[in-house]
């Protein structure tokens, strides 16, 4: 039989390349989930938590909008406690030697949780210049004692959901490509084996 009519053995690249794409998409998905969980767990990080009344220096590595969360329930000093989301007399300031940052009420309701602790957004502000700032929290009422606040980059949950969506879509595309090319390779390989078997049969018949 002429060479042009020969069926070539399918290249293993048909499996290797989709496998690499699948592993890369799986890695992206794992990275998104891991970083999202890390960011959400960071709300209980001592570096971002301030007790009201009190002051603390916090380093903001990124510019952008930040949300101040009030811990509404959780464990403090070894005891479980719960307080309302809206506390009268609670105030928050952000400043350094060069500027005072405007602190406003949150533009939208936001809640977060970390373990048994739950948080509700009570203030927000914008950092234009990254650096170290002094944050000052005060509360006029003694009804709830000292309360805990946590400063976090805004829209952490929305960014996590958006990243998770992209990661899942990428993984699905990678899986579809892998399965599609695998089926194509199996079909081509089966045809190649049939062709080789037929060739051997023809040779024996001679």
């Amino acid at each position: 039989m002429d060479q042009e009519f020969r069926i070539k053995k399918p290249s293993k690249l048909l499996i290797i390349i989709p496998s690499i794409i699948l592993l890369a998409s799986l890695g992206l998905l794992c990275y998104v989930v891991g970083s999202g969980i890390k960011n959400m767990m960071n709300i209980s990080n001592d570096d971002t938590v301030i007790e009201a009344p009190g002051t603390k220096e916090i380093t903001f590595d990124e510019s952008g909008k930040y949300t101040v969360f009030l811990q509404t329930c959780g464990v403090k000093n070894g005891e479980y406690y719960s307080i309302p989301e809206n506390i009268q007399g609670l105030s928050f300031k952000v400043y350094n030697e060069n500027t005072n940052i405007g602190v406003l009420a949150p533009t939208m309701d936001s809640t977060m949780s970390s373990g048994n602790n739950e948080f509700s957004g009570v203030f927000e502000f914008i950092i234009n210049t990254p650096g170290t700032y002094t944050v000052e929290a005060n509360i006029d009422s003694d009804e709830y004692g000292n309360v805990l606040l946590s400063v976090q980059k805004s829209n952490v949950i929305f960014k996590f959901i958006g990243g998770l969506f992209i990661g899942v879509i990428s993984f699905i595309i990678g899986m579809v490509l892998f399965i599609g090319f695998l089926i194509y390779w199996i079909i081509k390989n089966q045809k190649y084996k049939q062709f080789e078997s037929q060739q051997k049969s023809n040779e024996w018949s001679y």
Side-chain angles (χ1 to χ4, degrees):
M1 183 175 291
D2 295 338
Q3 182 70 21
E4 59 179 337
F5 294 107
R6 289 185 61 85
I7 296 178
K8 295 182 179 180
K9 185 176 182 179
S11 173
K12 291 183 178 180
L13 289 176
L14 292 174
I15 300 298
I16 295 175
I17 294 178
S19 297
I20 293 175
I21 296 175
L22 178 62
L23 291 175
S25 61
L26 179 60
L28 174 62
L29 179 61
C30 292
Y31 171 78
V32 169
V33 172
S35 60
I37 293 175
K38 179 181 178 181
N39 289 334
M40 295 177 71
M41 292 295 291
N42 189 54
I43 195 168
S44 297
N45 190 322
D46 290 339
D47 293 337
T48 63
V49 172
I50 177 173
E51 191 172 21
T55 60
K56 187 173 187 176
E57 288 191 346
I58 295 180
T59 299
F60 299 97
D61 296 325
E62 301 178 14
S63 60
K65 183 184 292 185
Y66 287 80
T67 300
V68 182
F69 289 90
L70 169 68
Q71 184 173 352
T72 55
C73 67
V75 178
K76 183 175 67 173
N77 298 327
E79 297 182 356
Y80 180 84
Y81 79 102
S82 177
I83 60 176
E85 294 183 1
N86 298 313
I87 297 180
Q88 297 296 325
L90 183 63
S91 62
F92 197 84
K93 297 179 181 180
V94 182
Y95 55 89
N96 61 15
E97 58 184 8
N98 298 318
T99 184
N100 290 319
I101 304 298
V103 178
L104 304 173
T107 54
M108 61 182 299
D109 293 336
S110 56
T111 58
M112 294 186 70
S113 62
S114 175
N116 295 323
N117 302 317
E118 295 185 4
F119 300 81
S120 177
V122 289
F123 301 108
E124 67 181 23
F125 57 91
I126 296 176
I127 295 292
N128 293 318
T129 304
T132 300
Y133 291 78
T134 299
V135 295
E136 179 180 332
N138 289 293
I139 182 170
D140 293 339
S141 174
D142 294 330
E143 181 178 358
Y144 306 106
N146 293 359
V147 298
L148 296 179
L149 301 169
S150 179
V151 181
Q152 298 294 318
K153 194 80 184 294
S154 298
N155 301 326
V156 172
I157 295 179
F158 295 107
K159 291 179 180 178
F160 171 65
I161 294 175
L164 181 62
F165 176 77
I166 294 174
V168 170
I169 293 299
S170 299
F171 178 72
I172 292 175
I173 293 175
M175 179 65 73
V176 170
L177 286 174
F178 175 77
I179 294 175
F181 275 94
L182 177 61
I183 293 174
Y184 177 76
W185 184 86
I186 291 175
I187 294 174
K188 294 287 289 184
N189 193 57
Q190 187 66 29
K191 288 183 177 180
Y192 170 76
K193 289 181 177 179
Q194 291 175 354
F195 175 79
E196 287 292 299
S197 177
Q198 184 65 39
Q199 286 289 93
K200 291 180 179 179
S201 297
N202 292 338
E203 292 174 359
W204 293 337
S205 64
Y206 294 130

